[in-house]
Amino acid sequence: MRGPAVPASAAGPGTGLLDAVLADVMRDTGASVGLVFLLPLGERVLRLVLASGMSREIAAPWARVPINAAIPVADAVRQRRLVWLGSQEEIARRYPRVGIVLPYDFRVAAAPITDGTTVWGGIVLLWPVWHPAQLSDAEQETITAFCRRAAPLLRQAADSGRPLGPADEPRLLPAPHSREADSAQAVAALDCAEQLPVGCCALDLDGRLTYINPAGAELVGAGAASLLGKRPWEVLLWLHDPVFEDRYREAAVSRQPTAFTARRPPDIRLSFQLYPHDSGISVHITPTGGDPSATAAKAAAPSPAGLVGATGLYHLTHLATALAEAVGVQDVVELAADQIVPAFGPEALALLAVDDGRLRITGYRGYSPELMDRFDAAPLTSDTPAARVITTGVASFFATFADLKRAYPPAVHQDEMAAWAFLPLIVSGRPVGSLVLAYDQPRPFPPAERAMLTSLTGLIAQALDRARLYDAKLTLAHTLQTGLLPHTLPRLPGFDVAARYRPAGHGMDIGGDFYDLIVCTPTTAVAVIGDVQGHNTTAAALMGQVRTAVHAYAATVGASPGKVLACTNRLLVDLDPGLFASCLIAHLDHTHHRALLATAGHPPALLRHPDGHTDILRVPPGLLLGIDPAADYPTTEIPLPPGAVLALYTDGLVETPGTDIDDATNTLAGHLAAVEPENLDALADVLLHHAEQSAPRYDDIALLLIRPHDGP
C-alpha cells in the first residue's frame, strides 16, 4: 500500500479492448453481472477494472482482492481453474466472507485469464437463481473462450510496453439493450405511465431514481424534481431504514423481485414491489392496509443526524470479514485502504503505528511519498492531530481547514484536502496507532458517520494488534530458517554459481528447503539441494541436521552422490524424526566437464546446453530419505560442458494447484531455454519472476544455478 493512488490518466491504455469481449460472454451465457479483474505485473492484488450489471457502490469493496484471499476469483486465479458456486448455501459454506456480505441467492462462476504461462487476471459472472445449479458444457466453453480471447489482448499490450492497467475506479459498462429505442413507442409508454392510477418509478443500478409518475410522487409525498437523480432512502427520511436499502441491493444482485412495506408519516402504509432488470429496477408503489405490526418501519422518521444506511453497514461488514482473514501488518493496511477509500469516501488515507515513542507511517493511499516522509517518525509528544488523538484517545473531526487551524494554530495546509478525520486505534485501553482520513470537499461528519468511523477503527485496531504479533513471530521463524542456510557461497574455480531462497508467500510456517555448495578439490565440488517434509520448527531443525550430514559426507574425497545419499538416509532413519526429506546431489568435475547426479525423490534437475536447448534430467529415482535404511541411490553421469547451465530447485518453484507437475516442470524448462543468461544472478531472478507471475507461491523456494566456464 506504500505509494500514492494511481491516477486514471496513468492507467494502462486499451482497457476498452475488453468491453466487447465481456459483453459477448455475458450475452452468450445469460449472466446478469460481469466483473473483470487484472493482476498487474509484480503485484499480488487483483484489481477490478471492468464491471457490467452492478453499481459502483456494490462493486467498491471488491475493487482490490488480495491474491491469497478466500474469494472465488482469487481461488480461480491461484489454482488456474474455473470455480462454480451453484447455490447460496454453497457460497456460505465455501466462502463465508462473500456469504455474509452478499446474503442473497445467486449463482457465480470465476475463471482465470491465462495463456498457459502467465495469469493475467480473472473474470466473475453472476446469474439469478433461475439458472440451473450446474454450468452447461456450452457455458463453460463460452467462459473458456472469453479467457482465450482476453489473454492475447493483455499479452500484446504488455509486449508493446503499454500494459493494460487499472485506474482509480473500475469502469462501468452500460447495460445492453435488446433493441433500438423507438421514439414513438417511448412517448406512448411515457403517456401510459403518466396516466396510471398506481405509483411507479424506475431506479438505475446505482439506486438513483430516473423516473416517477405523478401517482407515485403523490403517494410518497414529494415532487418528482426533488427525487430525480437521488436515491429515495436518502431524500425521504421515512424510507431511511437499512431494511429498505437492503431490499434494493438484494434485487440488484440477485435479479429477483422483492418487496417491502413502509410507513409514511403520519400513518400511510405503502407497499413497494421491486422488479429488477439489466439496466435497473422498476418499482410498483401501492397503498396497503393490514396489521401495523407487520410493517417494516413503524418508528417516527429519524433526524438526518441519526441516519445510518445499509450501504454503510454493508461496507462495515465487508471490512470486518476481510480483516478477519488478515495475517500480517501489511495485510491489514492493504485491506483497510482497499475497503475504506472506495467505500467510505476519503480521497486519501494514512495508517500510523506506535513504535518506540514515535508514529511510523505504516501505509497510505492517495498521498504522495514526499508528504508521508515529512510526517514519518513524528514523536508522540508532537502537537499534531495524529499524535494527540493517541494520547487523548478521542477522535478529532475537522469539517474544514479553518476548523483544523483553530484547533492547531501552527497547522500548515500541506495536502490540498478540505476535511479530515483523525481516529485513534486503541486495543484494551492501549494505543497502537492512528488512522487519518482526508476528503477533498468540506464534510460535516454527522454523529452517525462519526459512530461508523469509530466502529471502523475498532476493527482495524484489533486486526493491527494481532498482525504485529504475527509479524514478530514470522520474523523470528524466518530468521531461524535463513540462519540454517549458507550465508555466502564459496568461490568455486571454473564455475559461476547463483543461489536464491524465497520463504513462503503466505503463512508463518517454517519451511525445510535447503541448498549447499561444497568445494572438494581445486577442480571438483558438490552441489546439494533438498526439502524436508513439513512446515514447522521440527522440519527446520531436521533440515539443519540433514544439511550438516550431507556436507560432512560430501566433503569426503571420492564419495559418490549415491553414497552420500545412502549414508545420510541411514542417519535419518536412526534419528527417526517421523519426517522424510528429498534431496538431489550433483558432483561437479571441471577437468572432465561432467557431473554425477543422484536423487532421493527430488524434482529433476534441468540442463541448458550451450546452444540453448534444455533437457529435464530424469535420472533413476531413489526413495525419500528416512524411509528404508537399505535404500539404494544410483549415480548417473551427465556431460557438463563450458557454457551449460545446471539448475537445481525445490518443488515450490513448480508446484501450482490445478497444474500437473510435469507440465509445470516443462514450463520451467521452457523459460530456462528462452532466456539468454548473460549472468546467473539475472537468470535466477528471471526464473523466479516467471514462477511468481504464473501463479502465487505458497511454499518455500530454493534455487541453485551452476555454469562451468573455460577459465580457472
Side-chain angles (χ1 to χ4, degrees):
M1 195 185 81
R2 189 166 290 275
V6 179
S9 60
T15 49
L17 294 173
L18 297 174
D19 293 11
V21 187
L22 178 60
D24 287 347
V25 73
M26 292 181 64
R27 182 195 63 238
D28 294 343
T29 61
S32 55
V33 173
L35 307 171
V36 176
F37 293 82
L38 294 185
L39 182 62
L41 293 176
E43 292 192 20
R44 299 181 65 80
V45 175
L46 289 163
R47 306 280 293 274
L48 178 60
V49 297
L50 196 58
S52 179
M54 179 175 284
S55 73
R56 193 178 302 279
E57 279 202 332
I58 296 178
W62 314 97
R64 292 167 57 93
V65 176
I67 197 66
N68 59 356
I71 301 295
V73 67
D75 278 358
V77 168
R78 205 169 52 241
Q79 300 171 13
R80 292 193 178 191
R81 65 178 181 86
L82 187 144
V83 173
W84 167 253
L85 301 165
S87 69
Q88 184 179 9
E89 179 182 353
E90 187 177 10
I91 293 172
R93 175 173 52 83
R94 294 176 56 185
Y95 299 97
R97 174 175 163 188
V98 178
I100 290 172
V101 177
L102 296 174
Y104 315 125
D105 207 354
F106 55 90
R107 318 286 194 233
V108 61
I113 300 173
T114 176
D115 54 12
T117 58
T118 301
V119 179
W120 298 98
I123 181 176
V124 175
L125 298 172
L126 272 63
W127 290 265
V129 291
W130 51 252
H131 188 283
Q134 298 296 329
L135 273 179
S136 69
D137 291 342
E139 288 168 334
Q140 291 189 49
E141 175 54 33
T142 299
I143 297 172
T144 302
F146 164 85
C147 297
R148 284 199 302 262
R149 290 175 63 190
L153 295 176
L154 297 170
R155 178 169 291 282
Q156 289 167 14
D159 291 345
S160 69
R162 298 175 63 81
L164 273 64
D168 287 345
E169 294 182 336
R171 291 190 310 107
L172 302 182
L173 294 186
H177 294 281
S178 59
R179 60 179 180 175
E180 293 294 327
D182 183 285
S183 58
Q185 288 184 344
V187 171
L190 179 61
D191 288 342
C192 178
E194 293 283 308
Q195 300 303 318
L196 286 175
V198 295
C200 61
C201 65
L203 307 176
D204 63 17
L205 288 175
D206 203 34
R208 300 184 187 278
L209 195 138
T210 58
Y211 169 78
I212 186 167
N213 72 346
E218 183 178 354
L219 284 171
V220 301
S226 65
L227 296 173
L228 292 178
K230 301 180 178 63
R231 299 179 181 92
W233 51 85
E234 295 176 349
V235 180
L236 305 172
L237 298 184
W238 52 274
L239 269 182
H240 203 294
D241 186 295
V243 172
F244 305 153
E245 189 180 347
D246 185 65
R247 291 294 185 271
Y248 142 75
R249 192 182 304 280
E250 178 182 5
V253 173
S254 70
R255 292 294 203 274
Q256 291 296 295
T258 185
F260 64 86
T261 303
R263 173 179 170 269
R264 173 194 156 193
D267 195 22
I268 301 174
R269 289 184 293 277
L270 299 175
S271 172
F272 293 80
Q273 295 174 303
L274 284 64
Y275 299 94
H277 45 87
D278 288 343
S279 58
I281 298 173
S282 298
V283 184
H284 184 212
I285 310 169
T286 55
T288 183
D291 182 1
S293 64
T295 59
K298 297 188 296 179
S303 67
L307 299 180
V308 178
T311 298
L313 298 176
Y314 164 69
H315 292 314
L316 194 62
T317 302
H318 194 287
L319 178 63
T321 56
L323 289 176
E325 300 173 2
V327 181
V329 169
Q330 282 306 307
D331 283 345
V332 172
V333 295
E334 290 289 346
L335 283 169
D338 291 347
Q339 301 304 315
I340 293 172
V341 171
F344 293 91
E347 187 72 15
L349 168 152
L351 189 63
L352 302 90
V354 175
D355 183 16
D356 196 22
R358 293 183 176 274
L359 272 177
R360 298 283 182 180
I361 303 291
T362 306
Y364 58 92
R365 182 74 53 78
Y367 279 126
S368 68
E370 295 76 18
L371 182 61
M372 291 295 94
D373 287 342
R374 285 183 229 160
F375 290 96
D376 193 25
L380 290 178
T381 55
S382 61
D383 188 22
T384 62
R388 186 178 295 182
V389 296
I390 290 179
T391 57
T392 63
V394 179
S396 296
F397 300 90
F398 302 101
T400 65
F401 179 70
D403 293 340
L404 178 62
K405 187 74 173 177
R406 278 192 295 272
Y408 296 89
V412 178
H413 203 167
Q414 301 185 66
D415 61 2
E416 300 181 355
M417 297 295 169
W420 298 263
F422 295 88
L423 307 158
L425 303 177
I426 298 175
V427 178
S428 302
R430 175 173 51 88
V432 296
S434 62
L435 176 67
V436 181
L437 304 179
Y439 302 81
D440 59 356
Q441 298 294 328
R443 197 175 187 89
F445 295 110
E449 183 176 12
R450 297 186 182 205
M452 182 74 70
L453 293 178
T454 299
S455 299
L456 180 151
T457 54
L459 295 172
I460 295 174
Q462 294 283 350
L464 185 62
D465 197 45
R466 294 193 306 269
R468 293 176 73 176
L469 178 61
Y470 168 89
D471 280 351
K473 292 181 177 179
L474 180 64
T475 299
L476 179 62
H478 283 170
T479 300
L480 170 62
Q481 187 173 18
T482 54
L484 295 171
L485 296 172
H487 295 291
T488 59
L489 293 175
R491 185 178 181 278
L492 195 58
F495 293 92
D496 297 322
V497 181
R500 293 291 185 273
Y501 170 76
R502 294 283 175 85
H506 183 65
M508 63 171 294
D509 295 335
I510 307 174
D513 292 17
F514 67 94
Y515 62 87
D516 207 348
L517 189 64
I518 305 108
V519 178
C520 299
T521 71
T523 59
T524 62
V526 172
V528 181
I529 198 156
D531 184 2
V532 174
Q533 173 196 21
H535 291 83
N536 49 40
T537 52
T538 302
L542 184 62
M543 178 264 280
Q545 291 175 303
V546 172
R547 177 178 166 245
T548 300
V550 170
H551 193 110
Y553 293 133
T556 303
V557 177
S560 69
K563 183 176 180 181
V564 171
L565 287 176
C567 293
T568 305
N569 175 57
R570 286 193 292 271
L571 174 63
L572 197 56
V573 171
D574 291 341
L575 292 174
D576 191 22
L579 298 175
F580 310 127
S582 70
C583 188
L584 189 150
I585 298 179
H587 185 277
L588 312 172
D589 186 339
H590 186 267
T591 301
H592 299 93
H593 303 300
R594 66 178 185 176
L596 303 176
L597 270 62
T599 180
H602 199 79
L606 305 177
L607 181 64
R608 185 188 195 277
H609 295 272
D611 63 2
H613 83 276
T614 299
D615 292 329
I616 300 174
L617 304 178
R618 301 191 184 278
V619 301
L623 279 177
L624 291 169
L625 302 176
I627 296 178
D628 180 4
D632 181 50
Y633 299 93
T635 297
T636 302
E637 179 179 329
I638 64 164
L640 191 61
V645 176
L646 182 65
L648 314 180
Y649 55 93
T650 55
D651 56 9
L653 193 63
V654 291
E655 279 191 342
T656 303
T659 300
D660 182 79
I661 190 69
D662 289 336
D663 292 340
T665 304
N666 288 330
T667 298
L668 178 62
H671 290 318
L672 181 60
V675 179
E676 186 63 36
E678 296 180 1
N679 63 77
L680 289 194
D681 284 314
L683 177 59
D685 291 336
V686 168
L687 294 179
L688 286 177
H689 173 76
H690 278 300
E692 291 169 350
Q693 287 302 311
S694 297
R697 299 294 160 184
Y698 295 91
D699 195 2
D700 291 9
I701 295 174
L703 174 65
L704 192 58
L705 302 178
I706 303 107
R707 179 172 60 185
H709 54 75
D710 289 323

